[in-house]
């Protein structure tokens, strides 16, 4: 049986399809591409149209990492309340960037990280062709395009001027997510799991003794959390759909050894802070 979720017919750019055929591991919601754009530069819609999503991970696979990510929400709200009390709702990206970077907790100890690496190594041994295909698609599109598509969908039903402003804010949130997560990663210099164990991703061709790329905090997780926090405030009735996709992106990073769990939870906390900031300065 197939059900539709989070759809704003007839204006939707994407359709979320849920299926109960768990035995086949089918995608819960699938993104349905629309007519291609005539613009020379491809939009997020066009890119996903050309590379549509495969079947993604099951709810059972993504639930645990989703619950861990959800615990960061309250922490971020409490932290942001301090920023807002001191700075109000005036945009100051430079000051916020420095402050948010300081709120990211220190990475786990070497012993704790080793245990996390063992988890990723064990998960790698369970990989399937379908799982790798799903993770590869999520790694590529989970950076920005998925979130742009979701916004494009909900933008169809709001006034043009408001839509332009909110689009700019989402773009700002995604940009801040990259800037701040990269700054923190450069501070801690924690190598990605596939750097510590090149056998996890042999196609990366990591040379012996390589130091990077660095993985704490996860850039994917930071961007996803920032987008989900922002989009969920604009369309609360679709928050569950957004969180579901966020969990898919997070799990894919574990699955393909791009990150360990602490990378993802730290990135989620940071992204939630960024989402709160964009909402506050935008008057939401």
């Amino acid at each position: 049986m197939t059900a539709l979720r989070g759809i704003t017919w007839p204006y939707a750019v994407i359709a979320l399809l849920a299926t109960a055929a768990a035995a086949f591991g089918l995608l819960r919601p699938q993104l349905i591409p629309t007519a291609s754009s005539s613009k020379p530069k491809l939009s997020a819609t066009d890119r996903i149209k050309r590379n549509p999503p495969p079947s993604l991970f099951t709810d059972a696979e993504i639930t645990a990492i989703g619950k861990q990510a959800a615990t960061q929400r309250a922490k971020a709200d409490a932290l942001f309340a301090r920023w807002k009390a001191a700075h109000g709702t005036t945009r100051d990206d430079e000051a916020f960037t420095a402050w948010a970077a300081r709120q990211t907790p220190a990475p786990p100890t070497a012993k704790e990280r080793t245990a996390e690496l063992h988890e990723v190594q064990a998960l790698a041994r369970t990989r399937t062709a379908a799982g790798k295909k799903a993770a590869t698609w999520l790694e590529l599109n989970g950076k920005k395009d998925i979130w742009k598509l979701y916004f494009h969908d909900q933008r169809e039903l709001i006034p043009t001027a408001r839509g332009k402003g909110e689009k700019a804010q989402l773009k700002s949130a995604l940009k801040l997510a990259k800037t701040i997560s990269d700054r923190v990663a450069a501070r801690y210099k924690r190598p990605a799991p596939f750097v510590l164990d090149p056998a996890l991703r042999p196609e990366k061709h990591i040379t012996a003794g390589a130091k990077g790329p660095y993985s704490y905090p996860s850039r994917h997780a930071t961007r996803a959390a920032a987008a989900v926090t922002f989009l969920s405030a604009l369309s609360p009735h679709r928050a569950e759909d957004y969180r579901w996709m966020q969990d898919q992106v997070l799990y894919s990073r574990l699955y393909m050894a791009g990150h360990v769990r602490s990378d993802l939870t730290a990135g989620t906390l940071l992204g939630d802070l960024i989402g709160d900031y964009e909402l506050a300065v935008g008057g939401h």
Side-chain angles (χ1 to χ4, degrees), residues 12-64:
V13 174
I14 56 175
L16 303 178
L17 303 179
T19 177
F24 296 97
L26 294 181
L27 171 65
R28 180 179 172 183
Q30 286 196 359
L31 306 179
I32 303 300
T34 59
S36 61
S37 170
S38 59
K39 296 180 180 179
K41 183 177 180 181
L42 293 179
S43 66
T45 303
D46 296 326
R47 285 190 291 270
I48 290 185
K49 172 180 169 57
R50 292 192 176 193
N51 179 25
S55 295
L56 300 188
F57 297 105
T58 66
D59 288 355
E61 291 173 298
I62 67 175
T63 294

Side-chain angles (χ1 to χ4, degrees), residues 251-269:
Y251 184 75
S252 75
R253 308 306 292 135
L254 281 179
Y255 193 84
M256 293 305 290
H259 295 283
V260 295
R261 286 185 184 266
S262 58
D263 298 340
L264 299 172
T265 54
T268 301
L269 175 67

Side-chain angles (χ1 to χ4, degrees), residues 66-111:
K67 287 181 177 178
Q68 289 186 320
T71 63
Q72 306 306 307
R73 174 76 264 158
K75 296 178 185 178
D77 287 346
L79 286 170
F80 186 73
R82 300 177 193 173
W83 165 269
K84 189 174 179 180
H87 299 268
T89 58
T90 301
R91 178 177 287 278
D92 188 342
D93 289 357
E94 183 177 353
F96 176 78
T97 294
W99 175 83
R102 294 194 299 271
Q103 308 315 305
T104 309
T109 64
K111 182 178 180 180

Side-chain angles (χ1 to χ4, degrees), residues 99-143:
W99 175 83
R102 294 194 299 271
Q103 308 315 305
T104 309
T109 64
K111 182 178 180 180
E112 291 169 332
R113 192 166 179 84
T114 297
E116 290 185 315
L117 177 61
H118 289 164
E119 177 193 19
V120 171
Q121 291 168 326
L123 182 59
R125 291 192 287 271
T126 71
R127 289 177 189 160
T128 64
K132 287 191 245 184
K133 187 175 182 180
T136 299
W137 188 89
L138 288 160
E139 180 176 357
L140 175 64
N141 295 282
K143 297 175 182 178

